[in-house]
Amino acid sequence: NAGVMQNPRHLVRRRGQEARLRCSPMKGHSHVYWYRQLPEEGLKFMVYLQKENIIDESGMPKERFSAEFPKEGPSILRIQQVVRGDSAAYFCASSATSTGGNEQFFGPGTRLTVL
Amino acid sequence: GDSVTQMEGPVTLSEEAFLTINCTYTATGYPSLFWYVQYPGEGLQLLLKATKADDKGSNKGFEATYRKETTSFHLEKGSVQVSDSAVYFCALGGSARQLTFGSGTQLTVLP
């Protein structure tokens, strides 16, 4: 049973370009979460999605960031017009249910570097 | 809102030393508590969890007990190994569906 998959593992973009990060949840999981980890910091929640729905995007910056989880295919986190401050590790997690006590399984992360 | 306060690091220990990493939380209701470990360049792996008061989570020699009276979930290990060197995160799963993380504690174990 494959774990959470993320690609690419490393992504380099120049300021003003778009970054597109992909996440495939564990088989059977329909709940996906995106977190951002800035250098030397813990993970901060960005957005929670179920298939075709954004449930909670309270941690997502209001501009330039968007996320989707289509009926078919991986979840996508899109960052438009990247700036240096977007450089971070972006982790996706999935769970089988949405309860707070349910374990979330994390992917290996995408490390975004903005030049 | 929910929050997690974790002992700041870095922590450096000699092999076979006793480890404690403190974690306290603030939450409404009855959250679940987790410890995750992150090895260099990798994602987070669940180390242990506890879902109700007085539960003890344990794995690979690590233990943590859910103490509601002190709102704590301290991580302990009796004898650390070099391979335990990593960053450890305390996390809370509360009324919101996402996890709330502490800032992480870097552990280095010297041979």
Side-chain angles (χ1 to χ4, degrees):
Chain A
N1 185 16
V4 178
M5 298 175 68
Q6 289 187 250
N7 67 81
R9 294 291 305 273
H10 299 275
L11 182 62
V12 179
R13 286 287 178 267
R14 296 191 181 279
R15 282 180 296 170
Q17 292 184 320
E18 178 180 283
R20 191 171 296 200
L21 289 62
R22 296 176 183 78
C23 169
S24 296
M26 284 183 69
K27 187 176 181 181
H29 287 189
S30 59
H31 303 264
V32 167
Y33 312 79
W34 286 93
Y35 295 84
R36 177 165 64 176
Q37 183 180 34
L38 294 171
E40 309 299 325
E41 293 188 14
L43 279 72
K44 304 293 186 188
F45 167 75
M46 299 181 74
V47 61
Y48 160 48
L49 311 100
Q50 293 182 32
K51 283 286 187 182
E52 300 185 275
N53 290 300
I54 296 175
I55 307 301
D56 182 352
E57 56 182 350
S58 59
M60 192 98 96
K62 294 289 186 289
E63 297 180 351
R64 303 188 297 108
F65 285 73
S66 63
E68 63 179 17
F69 189 14
K71 186 176 180 181
E72 301 291 337
S75 175
I76 306 287
L77 178 68
R78 183 181 290 108
I79 311 171
Q80 297 178 304
Q81 300 176 319
V82 296
V83 301
R84 289 221 173 103
D86 297 332
S87 295
Y90 293 82
F91 291 96
C92 169
S94 72
S95 67
T97 69
S98 65
T99 59
N102 196 63
E103 178 181 349
Q104 293 183 18
F105 294 82
F106 282 80
T110 295
R111 282 155 181 80
L112 172 66
T113 301
V114 179
L115 301 178
Chain B
D2 296 346
S3 67
V4 175
T5 301
Q6 188 174 338
M7 182 174 100
E8 291 194 17
V11 174
T12 302
L13 296 173
S14 297
E15 204 165 25
E16 299 184 1
F18 184 85
L19 168 72
T20 300
I21 301 177
N22 290 338
C23 172
T24 57
Y25 68 90
T26 301
T28 54
Y30 302 95
S32 294
L33 300 171
F34 305 85
W35 276 100
Y36 280 84
V37 58
Q38 184 180 32
Y39 297 100
E42 299 185 10
L44 276 70
Q45 302 173 24
L46 180 68
L47 182 59
L48 53 84
K49 73 175 184 180
T51 57
K52 61 182 187 296
D54 300 325
D55 267 2
K56 177 186 282 188
S58 61
N59 185 25
K60 299 180 182 179
F62 291 89
E63 293 183 341
T65 301
Y66 188 161
R67 302 283 188 203
K68 190 167 177 60
E69 64 275 14
T70 54
T71 61
S72 65
F73 193 55
H74 303 322
L75 182 68
E76 296 182 338
K77 186 174 186 182
S79 176
V80 293
Q81 305 300 311
V82 172
S83 57
D84 294 327
S85 298
V87 180
Y88 292 81
F89 292 96
C90 184
L92 176 159
S95 53
R97 297 176 181 92
Q98 68 268 25
L99 295 176
T100 300
F101 284 87
S103 56
T105 301
Q106 171 75 56
L107 170 66
T108 301
V109 180
L110 302 176

